[in-house]
Amino acid sequence: MSAVSWSFRSVSIALVVVAASLLSPLSAVADQDPPGGGSFGGGSGSGTDTSGAVDGDTVSATAGGIVFDRSKNGHGGSVGAVRAATSWTPPACWYAPKYTPEQLKAYLEPIWAAGSTGDAWDSEQRKHYADGDYKDFNKANTGKGYWWDSYVNQDFPPGWDSCKEPIFWVDKGDPPPPRIKNAVTPEVLAELAYAEIRVPGTKVSLAPEGTTKVNLPTWSWLDAAEFKPVSVTASVPVLGIEATTTAEPVSLKIEPGTADAQTYPASGVCEITGDRIGEAYAKGKAGETPPCGVKYLRSSGDGSYKLRATITWKIHWTGTGVPDARNLPDGTFGADQDVVVQEIQSINR
């Protein structure tokens, strides 16, 4: 079978997002959702709860059959997704159960009947799934396995179109073929859960607040109550596997927004100790050096400096068959805030 005929799935996904004038004959099937309730773009980026289950001869394949439990995730209007501190990214596409034999038949036969994909392609596909390699879409093994197919993160990050394997069969209890990259395993689930992690915003409290003075140490801290470990659990009910990815805050980095400043400590990185992220200013500490903060050496003039506060989160996971925590790349999340710095005025008499 030619490489072109085997790459139908990736081509059909691509057709969803290209201009109509560029559509190939496969366009007739590009908008069809699989009968099991899934979709070409059933991804992890939507931020909504998903479901996946099996009921008799029906696979509910929403979001790749993956259920995300976000009950222990960060909440509120200021939360955001962590960004890996390295070049690593969670999978942009993956493979998971999508069809029972009956569902695959209901999906492919109308495509072949339409004839829009060409006789040669239709014949090769029919030979593989219905009349040759498998008989009648492998109906004899109904309930003993599933047809797997690719899914795509609906945000379409780079690499979303890299899952080009044709639909393939996997018996229950068997692993997917070794050649299949990003087939769901506990590790892949952990990586997909990473993309679902949401952490609190990072606007720091400052003293003095809003407007500070040149050469005056400014104390910085965060509400430690908001910065607790968060986690997301991803599972595939039809396979009986799951993974929990947990993010724990480890440090706060202060970037003053100008080279004319001195940070405390000098690295600008405030380690999180226990439940403390910096230290709140209190009356009587004016002469002390803040454990976390900044001293501006020059006025911001008529404008302000963009102070950036970034939390680094240590991320690890456990899952089915993996009781001991395994690390994923650290994640970061930060935000800017305006700081006005004024000259200290003095009056000579």
Side-chain angles (χ1 to χ4, degrees), residues 24-333:
S24 74
L26 298 182
S27 60
V29 300
D31 294 328
Q32 296 186 18
D33 286 337
S39 66
F40 291 127
S44 61
S46 63
T48 57
D49 288 322
T50 60
S51 63
V54 61
D55 180 13
D57 193 34
T58 301
V59 176
S60 174
T62 303
I66 298 175
V67 175
F68 291 104
D69 178 355
R70 302 180 181 85
S71 61
K72 297 180 180 179
N73 206 5
H75 298 284
S78 65
V79 299
V82 293
R83 178 188 294 269
T86 68
S87 60
W88 177 87
T89 57
C93 64
W94 62 93
Y95 297 91
K98 184 176 284 190
Y99 307 101
T100 65
E102 187 64 33
Q103 288 171 334
L104 184 61
K105 179 178 181 179
Y107 173 58
L108 287 179
E109 284 195 333
I111 296 173
W112 300 338
S116 59
T117 51
D119 291 341
W121 185 89
D122 292 345
S123 176
E124 290 182 7
Q125 293 286 298
R126 190 183 300 276
K127 179 180 178 181
H128 180 68
Y129 293 108
D131 302 329
D133 300 335
Y134 293 92
K135 299 297 183 182
D136 197 18
F137 303 90
N138 210 20
K139 279 188 177 181
N141 288 309
T142 296
K144 299 178 181 180
Y146 303 102
W147 289 104
W148 289 44
D149 200 3
S150 61
Y151 291 84
V152 176
N153 184 326
Q154 289 182 340
D155 291 336
F156 295 100
W160 68 268
D161 55 350
S162 62
C163 293
K164 300 178 181 180
E165 294 288 342
I167 301 169
F168 56 93
W169 177 266
V170 179
D171 286 331
K172 284 184 178 179
D174 287 352
R179 74 175 190 280
I180 307 295
K181 183 179 179 181
N182 288 350
V184 286
T185 61
E187 183 173 7
V188 169
L189 288 176
E191 294 172 350
L192 292 172
Y194 187 113
E196 297 296 321
I197 291 287
R198 298 294 181 266
V199 296
T202 56
K203 183 176 181 179
V204 295
S205 298
L206 301 173
E209 181 180 1
T211 300
T212 187
K213 306 296 184 181
V214 172
N215 291 321
L216 177 66
T218 300
W219 293 58
S220 304
W221 69 95
L222 285 162
D223 182 358
E226 295 184 11
F227 288 85
K228 303 295 185 182
V230 299
S231 66
V232 172
T233 297
S235 62
V236 181
V238 299
L239 299 180
I241 60 174
E242 68 174 27
T244 298
T245 299
T246 301
E248 300 181 67
V250 293
S251 64
L252 164 67
K253 183 176 182 179
I254 298 292
E255 297 173 275
T258 174
D260 295 316
Q262 175 183 339
T263 56
Y264 305 101
S267 65
V269 177
C270 307
E271 299 295 336
I272 296 176
T273 304
D275 62 353
R276 289 177 53 185
I277 306 176
E279 183 178 334
Y281 176 78
K283 186 176 181 180
K285 293 184 177 181
E288 299 180 19
T289 298
C292 184
V294 60
K295 179 170 69 176
Y296 287 97
L297 307 178
R298 188 184 297 272
S299 167
S300 59
D302 294 332
S304 61
Y305 294 124
K306 291 286 187 183
L307 181 146
R308 184 167 186 81
T310 302
I311 293 285
T312 294
W313 297 78
K314 185 175 179 61
I315 301 180
H316 55 83
W317 68 278
T318 58
T320 304
V322 185
D324 298 325
R326 297 186 181 181
N327 292 331
L328 287 168
D330 288 350
T332 62
F333 183 60

Side-chain angles (χ1 to χ4, degrees), residues 13-27:
I13 293 170
L15 294 176
V16 178
V17 294
V18 298
S21 62
L22 299 179
L23 294 180
S24 74
L26 298 182
S27 60

